Short mmCIF file of all heavy atoms in Angstrom, two decimals:
data_model
loop_
_atom_site.label_atom_id
_atom_site.label_comp_id
_atom_site.label_asym_id
_atom_site.label_seq_id
_atom_site.Cartn_x
_atom_site.Cartn_y
_atom_site.Cartn_z
N ALA A 1 177.20 51.76 -81.17
CA ALA A 1 178.64 51.49 -81.22
C ALA A 1 179.05 50.65 -79.99
O ALA A 1 179.93 49.80 -80.05
CB ALA A 1 179.39 52.77 -81.24
N ALA A 2 178.34 50.76 -78.93
CA ALA A 2 178.69 50.04 -77.67
C ALA A 2 178.49 48.55 -77.89
O ALA A 2 179.28 47.73 -77.44
CB ALA A 2 177.98 50.53 -76.47
N SER A 3 177.41 48.21 -78.52
CA SER A 3 177.07 46.78 -78.73
C SER A 3 178.06 46.15 -79.73
O SER A 3 178.53 45.00 -79.52
CB SER A 3 175.63 46.57 -79.22
OG SER A 3 175.43 47.26 -80.44
N ALA A 4 178.52 46.96 -80.70
CA ALA A 4 179.55 46.48 -81.66
C ALA A 4 180.87 46.31 -80.90
O ALA A 4 181.52 45.29 -81.12
CB ALA A 4 179.73 47.51 -82.80
N ALA A 5 181.23 47.22 -80.06
CA ALA A 5 182.42 47.04 -79.31
C ALA A 5 182.40 45.89 -78.37
O ALA A 5 183.43 45.12 -78.26
CB ALA A 5 182.67 48.31 -78.46
N ALA A 6 181.28 45.63 -77.80
CA ALA A 6 181.13 44.43 -76.91
C ALA A 6 181.31 43.14 -77.71
O ALA A 6 181.96 42.26 -77.24
CB ALA A 6 179.73 44.48 -76.17
N ARG A 7 180.79 43.12 -78.88
CA ARG A 7 181.00 41.89 -79.74
C ARG A 7 182.42 41.70 -80.10
O ARG A 7 182.87 40.58 -80.15
CB ARG A 7 180.04 42.01 -81.04
CG ARG A 7 178.62 41.79 -80.73
CD ARG A 7 177.79 41.62 -81.97
NE ARG A 7 177.71 42.76 -82.81
CZ ARG A 7 176.79 43.72 -82.65
NH1 ARG A 7 175.84 43.68 -81.70
NH2 ARG A 7 176.84 44.79 -83.50
N VAL A 8 183.09 42.87 -80.43
CA VAL A 8 184.50 42.71 -80.70
C VAL A 8 185.33 42.16 -79.52
O VAL A 8 186.17 41.33 -79.63
CB VAL A 8 185.12 44.09 -81.15
CG1 VAL A 8 186.64 44.01 -81.26
CG2 VAL A 8 184.53 44.53 -82.45
N MET A 9 184.97 42.65 -78.30
CA MET A 9 185.64 42.22 -77.10
C MET A 9 185.49 40.69 -76.87
O MET A 9 186.39 39.97 -76.40
CB MET A 9 185.23 43.04 -75.87
CG MET A 9 185.63 44.42 -75.91
SD MET A 9 187.30 44.75 -75.94
CE MET A 9 187.88 44.14 -74.40
N LYS A 10 184.21 40.17 -77.24
CA LYS A 10 184.03 38.78 -77.00
C LYS A 10 184.57 37.92 -78.12
O LYS A 10 184.66 36.73 -77.98
CB LYS A 10 182.51 38.54 -76.95
CG LYS A 10 181.89 39.12 -75.71
CD LYS A 10 180.34 38.97 -75.73
CE LYS A 10 179.70 39.57 -74.54
NZ LYS A 10 178.24 39.50 -74.58
N SER A 11 184.97 38.51 -79.25
CA SER A 11 185.40 37.78 -80.42
C SER A 11 186.75 37.08 -80.17
O SER A 11 187.64 37.62 -79.57
CB SER A 11 185.51 38.71 -81.60
OG SER A 11 186.19 38.00 -82.68
N LYS A 12 186.83 35.84 -80.64
CA LYS A 12 188.03 35.02 -80.46
C LYS A 12 188.99 35.34 -81.68
O LYS A 12 190.14 35.08 -81.58
CB LYS A 12 187.71 33.48 -80.48
CG LYS A 12 187.05 33.08 -79.22
CD LYS A 12 186.76 31.54 -79.23
CE LYS A 12 186.40 30.93 -77.99
NZ LYS A 12 185.12 31.45 -77.40
N THR A 13 188.51 35.96 -82.68
CA THR A 13 189.29 36.26 -83.82
C THR A 13 189.82 37.69 -83.91
O THR A 13 190.53 38.03 -84.89
CB THR A 13 188.61 35.87 -85.13
OG1 THR A 13 187.35 36.67 -85.19
CG2 THR A 13 188.30 34.44 -85.22
N ALA A 14 189.25 38.60 -83.05
CA ALA A 14 189.68 40.04 -83.18
C ALA A 14 191.09 40.20 -82.78
O ALA A 14 191.68 39.51 -81.86
CB ALA A 14 188.83 40.82 -82.16
N SER A 15 191.75 41.13 -83.49
CA SER A 15 193.13 41.41 -83.23
C SER A 15 193.34 42.18 -81.98
O SER A 15 192.32 42.78 -81.39
CB SER A 15 193.79 42.17 -84.42
OG SER A 15 193.23 43.49 -84.44
N LYS A 16 194.58 42.32 -81.48
CA LYS A 16 194.83 43.13 -80.31
C LYS A 16 194.47 44.61 -80.50
O LYS A 16 193.88 45.19 -79.60
CB LYS A 16 196.35 42.99 -79.95
CG LYS A 16 196.77 43.59 -78.68
CD LYS A 16 198.26 43.31 -78.46
CE LYS A 16 198.66 43.97 -77.15
NZ LYS A 16 200.14 43.80 -76.90
N ALA A 17 194.68 45.16 -81.71
CA ALA A 17 194.43 46.52 -82.04
C ALA A 17 192.87 46.69 -82.00
O ALA A 17 192.36 47.71 -81.46
CB ALA A 17 194.91 46.90 -83.37
N GLU A 18 192.15 45.72 -82.60
CA GLU A 18 190.68 45.83 -82.60
C GLU A 18 190.13 45.79 -81.16
O GLU A 18 189.19 46.56 -80.85
CB GLU A 18 190.11 44.67 -83.38
CG GLU A 18 190.36 44.76 -84.89
CD GLU A 18 189.97 43.53 -85.65
OE1 GLU A 18 189.83 42.45 -85.08
OE2 GLU A 18 189.79 43.74 -86.95
N LYS A 19 190.68 44.98 -80.32
CA LYS A 19 190.19 44.89 -78.90
C LYS A 19 190.52 46.17 -78.15
O LYS A 19 189.73 46.63 -77.33
CB LYS A 19 190.68 43.64 -78.24
CG LYS A 19 190.04 42.41 -78.80
CD LYS A 19 190.25 41.15 -77.88
CE LYS A 19 189.48 40.02 -78.51
NZ LYS A 19 189.32 38.91 -77.58
N ALA A 20 191.68 46.76 -78.43
CA ALA A 20 192.11 47.97 -77.77
C ALA A 20 191.14 49.09 -78.12
O ALA A 20 190.74 49.93 -77.27
CB ALA A 20 193.52 48.33 -78.13
N VAL A 21 190.77 49.15 -79.38
CA VAL A 21 189.90 50.23 -79.82
C VAL A 21 188.58 50.01 -79.26
O VAL A 21 187.82 50.90 -78.84
CB VAL A 21 189.87 50.26 -81.41
CG1 VAL A 21 188.72 51.06 -81.95
CG2 VAL A 21 191.18 50.68 -81.96
N ALA A 22 188.05 48.73 -79.28
CA ALA A 22 186.70 48.40 -78.72
C ALA A 22 186.67 48.77 -77.20
O ALA A 22 185.67 49.37 -76.72
CB ALA A 22 186.41 46.99 -78.93
N ALA A 23 187.70 48.42 -76.48
CA ALA A 23 187.80 48.73 -75.05
C ALA A 23 187.71 50.28 -74.82
O ALA A 23 187.04 50.74 -73.89
CB ALA A 23 189.07 48.15 -74.42
N SER A 24 188.39 51.02 -75.64
CA SER A 24 188.35 52.49 -75.59
C SER A 24 186.93 52.97 -75.82
O SER A 24 186.43 53.82 -75.10
CB SER A 24 189.28 53.06 -76.54
OG SER A 24 189.27 54.47 -76.50
N ALA A 25 186.34 52.46 -76.90
CA ALA A 25 184.89 52.89 -77.17
C ALA A 25 183.95 52.56 -76.06
O ALA A 25 183.07 53.40 -75.75
CB ALA A 25 184.46 52.23 -78.45
N LEU A 26 184.15 51.46 -75.39
CA LEU A 26 183.27 51.04 -74.28
C LEU A 26 183.53 51.93 -73.05
O LEU A 26 182.63 52.32 -72.35
CB LEU A 26 183.53 49.62 -73.92
CG LEU A 26 182.83 48.55 -74.88
CD1 LEU A 26 183.26 47.13 -74.49
CD2 LEU A 26 181.32 48.70 -74.83
N THR A 27 184.80 52.26 -72.83
CA THR A 27 185.16 53.16 -71.67
C THR A 27 184.53 54.54 -71.81
O THR A 27 184.13 55.12 -70.89
CB THR A 27 186.70 53.25 -71.55
OG1 THR A 27 187.22 51.96 -71.43
CG2 THR A 27 187.10 54.09 -70.43
N GLN A 28 184.44 54.99 -73.03
CA GLN A 28 183.95 56.32 -73.27
C GLN A 28 182.45 56.47 -73.25
O GLN A 28 181.92 57.56 -73.11
CB GLN A 28 184.48 56.90 -74.63
CG GLN A 28 185.92 57.03 -74.64
CD GLN A 28 186.50 57.15 -76.02
OE1 GLN A 28 185.72 57.21 -77.03
NE2 GLN A 28 187.83 57.06 -76.13
N LYS A 29 181.77 55.35 -73.33
CA LYS A 29 180.31 55.36 -73.28
C LYS A 29 179.75 56.01 -71.99
O LYS A 29 180.04 55.54 -70.97
CB LYS A 29 179.68 54.01 -73.47
CG LYS A 29 178.22 54.01 -73.56
CD LYS A 29 177.69 52.56 -73.75
CE LYS A 29 176.26 52.53 -73.99
NZ LYS A 29 175.38 53.34 -73.18
N GLY A 30 179.06 57.15 -72.09
CA GLY A 30 178.54 57.79 -70.94
C GLY A 30 179.57 58.55 -70.09
O GLY A 30 179.26 58.81 -68.94
N SER A 31 180.66 58.86 -70.65
CA SER A 31 181.70 59.57 -69.82
C SER A 31 182.33 60.66 -70.72
O SER A 31 182.07 60.77 -71.85
CB SER A 31 182.82 58.64 -69.31
OG SER A 31 183.71 58.28 -70.33
N ASN A 32 183.27 61.43 -70.12
CA ASN A 32 183.93 62.53 -70.84
C ASN A 32 185.34 62.07 -71.24
O ASN A 32 186.18 62.87 -71.58
CB ASN A 32 184.04 63.73 -69.96
CG ASN A 32 182.70 64.43 -69.78
OD1 ASN A 32 181.84 64.36 -70.71
ND2 ASN A 32 182.46 65.06 -68.70
N GLU A 33 185.61 60.73 -71.07
CA GLU A 33 186.89 60.15 -71.52
C GLU A 33 187.22 60.53 -72.94
O GLU A 33 186.28 60.52 -73.80
CB GLU A 33 186.97 58.75 -71.31
CG GLU A 33 186.94 58.30 -69.87
CD GLU A 33 188.21 58.46 -69.09
OE1 GLU A 33 189.31 58.33 -69.69
OE2 GLU A 33 188.13 58.79 -67.92
N LYS A 34 188.43 60.76 -73.34
CA LYS A 34 188.95 60.95 -74.75
C LYS A 34 189.84 59.89 -75.16
O LYS A 34 190.55 59.30 -74.33
CB LYS A 34 189.56 62.33 -74.87
CG LYS A 34 188.71 63.51 -74.45
CD LYS A 34 187.56 63.67 -75.42
CE LYS A 34 186.78 64.88 -75.04
NZ LYS A 34 185.43 64.91 -75.72
N THR A 35 189.82 59.60 -76.42
CA THR A 35 190.76 58.61 -77.00
C THR A 35 192.15 59.07 -77.06
O THR A 35 192.42 60.20 -77.51
CB THR A 35 190.23 58.29 -78.49
OG1 THR A 35 188.87 57.81 -78.41
CG2 THR A 35 191.02 57.23 -79.10
N SER A 36 193.08 58.28 -76.60
CA SER A 36 194.46 58.67 -76.66
C SER A 36 195.04 58.60 -78.07
O SER A 36 194.42 57.99 -78.96
CB SER A 36 195.35 57.71 -75.76
OG SER A 36 195.31 56.42 -76.32
N ALA A 37 196.19 59.26 -78.21
CA ALA A 37 196.85 59.16 -79.62
C ALA A 37 197.17 57.73 -80.06
O ALA A 37 197.05 57.36 -81.21
CB ALA A 37 198.03 60.03 -79.62
N LYS A 38 197.57 56.91 -79.07
CA LYS A 38 197.93 55.54 -79.37
C LYS A 38 196.69 54.73 -79.82
O LYS A 38 196.76 54.06 -80.87
CB LYS A 38 198.52 54.87 -78.15
CG LYS A 38 198.96 53.45 -78.32
CD LYS A 38 199.67 52.88 -77.09
CE LYS A 38 200.13 51.48 -77.27
NZ LYS A 38 200.76 50.94 -76.08
N VAL A 39 195.58 54.93 -79.08
CA VAL A 39 194.36 54.19 -79.48
C VAL A 39 193.83 54.77 -80.88
O VAL A 39 193.37 54.02 -81.65
CB VAL A 39 193.32 54.22 -78.42
CG1 VAL A 39 192.03 53.67 -78.89
CG2 VAL A 39 193.81 53.48 -77.17
N ALA A 40 193.94 56.08 -81.05
CA ALA A 40 193.48 56.72 -82.30
C ALA A 40 194.30 56.14 -83.47
O ALA A 40 193.65 55.84 -84.53
CB ALA A 40 193.59 58.21 -82.22
N SER A 41 195.54 55.90 -83.29
CA SER A 41 196.39 55.32 -84.31
C SER A 41 195.92 53.90 -84.69
O SER A 41 195.81 53.52 -85.88
CB SER A 41 197.85 55.34 -83.86
OG SER A 41 198.66 54.71 -84.89
N SER A 42 195.68 53.17 -83.59
CA SER A 42 195.11 51.79 -83.81
C SER A 42 193.77 51.80 -84.51
O SER A 42 193.53 50.96 -85.40
CB SER A 42 194.95 51.05 -82.43
OG SER A 42 196.25 50.81 -81.84
N ALA A 43 192.95 52.73 -84.14
CA ALA A 43 191.64 52.88 -84.74
C ALA A 43 191.70 53.15 -86.22
O ALA A 43 191.02 52.56 -87.05
CB ALA A 43 190.81 53.99 -84.06
N ALA A 44 192.71 54.01 -86.57
CA ALA A 44 192.92 54.32 -88.01
C ALA A 44 193.34 53.08 -88.82
O ALA A 44 192.84 52.87 -89.88
CB ALA A 44 193.92 55.42 -88.14
N LYS A 45 194.17 52.33 -88.14
CA LYS A 45 194.65 51.06 -88.81
C LYS A 45 193.51 50.04 -88.98
O LYS A 45 193.37 49.44 -90.01
CB LYS A 45 195.76 50.46 -87.95
CG LYS A 45 197.05 51.15 -88.03
CD LYS A 45 198.15 50.55 -87.13
CE LYS A 45 199.36 51.40 -87.14
NZ LYS A 45 200.44 50.93 -86.16
N VAL A 46 192.65 50.02 -87.98
CA VAL A 46 191.46 49.09 -88.07
C VAL A 46 190.57 49.55 -89.25
O VAL A 46 190.09 48.78 -89.98
CB VAL A 46 190.71 49.10 -86.74
CG1 VAL A 46 189.37 48.30 -86.93
CG2 VAL A 46 191.56 48.38 -85.67
N LEU A 47 190.34 50.88 -89.34
CA LEU A 47 189.46 51.36 -90.39
C LEU A 47 190.06 51.08 -91.79
O LEU A 47 189.31 50.86 -92.79
CB LEU A 47 189.20 52.87 -90.22
CG LEU A 47 188.28 53.25 -89.10
CD1 LEU A 47 188.25 54.75 -88.87
CD2 LEU A 47 186.87 52.68 -89.30
N LYS A 48 191.39 51.04 -91.95
CA LYS A 48 191.98 50.80 -93.17
C LYS A 48 192.11 49.28 -93.49
O LYS A 48 192.37 48.95 -94.62
CB LYS A 48 193.42 51.44 -93.18
CG LYS A 48 193.38 52.91 -93.25
CD LYS A 48 194.80 53.46 -93.19
CE LYS A 48 194.86 55.02 -93.05
NZ LYS A 48 196.23 55.49 -92.92
N ASP A 49 192.01 48.43 -92.53
CA ASP A 49 192.18 47.03 -92.66
C ASP A 49 191.01 46.38 -93.32
O ASP A 49 189.87 46.42 -92.96
CB ASP A 49 192.32 46.42 -91.26
CG ASP A 49 192.60 44.91 -91.31
OD1 ASP A 49 192.63 44.29 -92.36
OD2 ASP A 49 192.88 44.33 -90.21
N LYS A 50 191.30 45.74 -94.55
CA LYS A 50 190.23 45.12 -95.34
C LYS A 50 189.69 43.95 -94.59
O LYS A 50 188.54 43.52 -94.87
CB LYS A 50 190.86 44.62 -96.65
CG LYS A 50 191.18 45.72 -97.57
CD LYS A 50 191.64 45.12 -98.92
CE LYS A 50 193.01 45.65 -99.22
NZ LYS A 50 193.62 45.00 -100.39
N ASN A 51 190.34 43.35 -93.70
CA ASN A 51 189.88 42.04 -92.99
C ASN A 51 189.18 42.36 -91.65
O ASN A 51 188.71 41.49 -91.01
CB ASN A 51 191.11 41.21 -92.76
CG ASN A 51 191.77 40.71 -93.97
OD1 ASN A 51 191.11 40.41 -94.95
ND2 ASN A 51 193.12 40.66 -94.02
N ALA A 52 189.19 43.68 -91.24
CA ALA A 52 188.54 44.03 -90.01
C ALA A 52 187.03 43.85 -90.14
O ALA A 52 186.39 44.14 -91.23
CB ALA A 52 188.85 45.41 -89.61
N SER A 53 186.35 43.36 -89.14
CA SER A 53 184.95 43.18 -89.14
C SER A 53 184.23 44.48 -89.12
O SER A 53 184.81 45.49 -88.77
CB SER A 53 184.52 42.33 -87.93
OG SER A 53 184.69 43.12 -86.75
N LYS A 54 182.97 44.38 -89.50
CA LYS A 54 182.07 45.61 -89.44
C LYS A 54 182.00 46.18 -88.03
O LYS A 54 182.04 47.39 -87.81
CB LYS A 54 180.70 45.26 -89.96
CG LYS A 54 179.77 46.40 -90.15
CD LYS A 54 178.48 45.96 -90.77
CE LYS A 54 177.50 47.18 -90.93
NZ LYS A 54 176.24 46.72 -91.46
N ASP A 55 181.93 45.27 -87.01
CA ASP A 55 181.81 45.70 -85.63
C ASP A 55 183.14 46.37 -85.23
O ASP A 55 183.09 47.42 -84.50
CB ASP A 55 181.57 44.46 -84.71
CG ASP A 55 180.14 43.98 -84.78
OD1 ASP A 55 179.21 44.73 -85.13
OD2 ASP A 55 179.93 42.77 -84.48
N ALA A 56 184.27 45.88 -85.58
CA ALA A 56 185.56 46.45 -85.27
C ALA A 56 185.66 47.86 -85.90
O ALA A 56 186.13 48.82 -85.24
CB ALA A 56 186.71 45.60 -85.72
N LYS A 57 185.19 48.01 -87.15
CA LYS A 57 185.23 49.33 -87.79
C LYS A 57 184.31 50.27 -87.09
O LYS A 57 184.59 51.46 -86.98
CB LYS A 57 184.97 49.20 -89.33
CG LYS A 57 186.15 48.50 -89.98
CD LYS A 57 185.94 48.53 -91.48
CE LYS A 57 187.17 47.84 -92.13
NZ LYS A 57 187.37 48.20 -93.52
N SER A 58 183.15 49.78 -86.69
CA SER A 58 182.22 50.70 -86.04
C SER A 58 182.81 51.16 -84.68
O SER A 58 182.72 52.32 -84.36
CB SER A 58 180.82 49.88 -85.76
OG SER A 58 179.96 50.69 -84.98
N ALA A 59 183.44 50.27 -83.92
CA ALA A 59 184.07 50.66 -82.71
C ALA A 59 185.21 51.66 -82.93
O ALA A 59 185.40 52.63 -82.17
CB ALA A 59 184.57 49.46 -81.95
N ALA A 60 185.96 51.37 -83.96
CA ALA A 60 187.07 52.33 -84.33
C ALA A 60 186.59 53.71 -84.66
O ALA A 60 187.16 54.71 -84.19
CB ALA A 60 187.86 51.69 -85.54
N ALA A 61 185.50 53.79 -85.47
CA ALA A 61 184.95 55.10 -85.79
C ALA A 61 184.43 55.76 -84.65
O ALA A 61 184.68 57.00 -84.41
CB ALA A 61 183.80 54.87 -86.81
N SER A 62 183.82 55.08 -83.67
CA SER A 62 183.32 55.64 -82.38
C SER A 62 184.49 56.18 -81.57
O SER A 62 184.41 57.30 -81.07
CB SER A 62 182.55 54.55 -81.62
OG SER A 62 182.12 55.14 -80.39
N ALA A 63 185.52 55.39 -81.50
CA ALA A 63 186.73 55.84 -80.69
C ALA A 63 187.32 57.10 -81.35
O ALA A 63 187.66 58.04 -80.60
CB ALA A 63 187.79 54.75 -80.61
N LEU A 64 187.42 57.17 -82.65
CA LEU A 64 187.96 58.32 -83.30
C LEU A 64 187.17 59.60 -83.12
O LEU A 64 187.67 60.65 -83.06
CB LEU A 64 188.16 58.07 -84.81
CG LEU A 64 189.44 57.23 -85.12
CD1 LEU A 64 189.45 56.98 -86.64
CD2 LEU A 64 190.68 57.92 -84.69
N THR A 65 185.82 59.47 -83.00
CA THR A 65 185.02 60.66 -82.75
C THR A 65 185.26 61.29 -81.44
O THR A 65 184.96 62.39 -81.14
CB THR A 65 183.52 60.30 -82.95
OG1 THR A 65 183.13 59.41 -81.94
CG2 THR A 65 183.19 59.83 -84.32
N GLN A 66 185.83 60.48 -80.52
CA GLN A 66 186.14 61.00 -79.18
C GLN A 66 187.64 61.38 -78.97
O GLN A 66 188.09 61.54 -77.92
CB GLN A 66 185.79 59.84 -78.10
CG GLN A 66 184.29 59.50 -78.12
CD GLN A 66 183.50 60.72 -77.60
OE1 GLN A 66 183.83 61.50 -76.77
NE2 GLN A 66 182.34 60.93 -78.38
N LYS A 67 188.37 61.49 -80.13
CA LYS A 67 189.81 61.84 -80.05
C LYS A 67 189.99 63.17 -79.40
O LYS A 67 189.28 64.13 -79.63
CB LYS A 67 190.33 61.83 -81.52
CG LYS A 67 191.73 62.36 -81.65
CD LYS A 67 192.75 61.32 -81.70
CE LYS A 67 194.10 61.79 -82.05
NZ LYS A 67 194.73 62.69 -81.07
N LYS A 68 191.09 63.28 -78.66
CA LYS A 68 191.53 64.59 -78.07
C LYS A 68 191.88 65.47 -79.24
O LYS A 68 192.47 65.09 -80.20
CB LYS A 68 192.74 64.38 -77.15
CG LYS A 68 192.50 63.63 -75.93
CD LYS A 68 193.77 63.51 -75.11
CE LYS A 68 193.58 62.63 -73.93
NZ LYS A 68 194.82 62.33 -73.19
N ARG A 69 191.53 66.73 -79.07
CA ARG A 69 191.91 67.72 -80.07
C ARG A 69 193.04 68.63 -79.66
O ARG A 69 193.27 68.87 -78.63
CB ARG A 69 190.71 68.63 -80.43
CG ARG A 69 189.63 67.68 -81.07
CD ARG A 69 188.41 68.44 -81.36
NE ARG A 69 187.44 67.41 -81.79
CZ ARG A 69 186.43 67.71 -82.64
NH1 ARG A 69 186.30 68.82 -83.09
NH2 ARG A 69 185.58 66.70 -82.88
#
């Protein structure tokens, strides 16, 4: 998921929401950080978006698995 998130961050076509989710996924790699409600909401939108890339969806799924409970 980290490599997918890195590709999203480098993408010129990724949306602001996709980049926010990717940044969150990268931040959480190797740490105890949790995904905020705002980023979780963005991640859910990315997962539902038909136009989102496979990498963006992978990063979104990764971010959601780290959501605060």
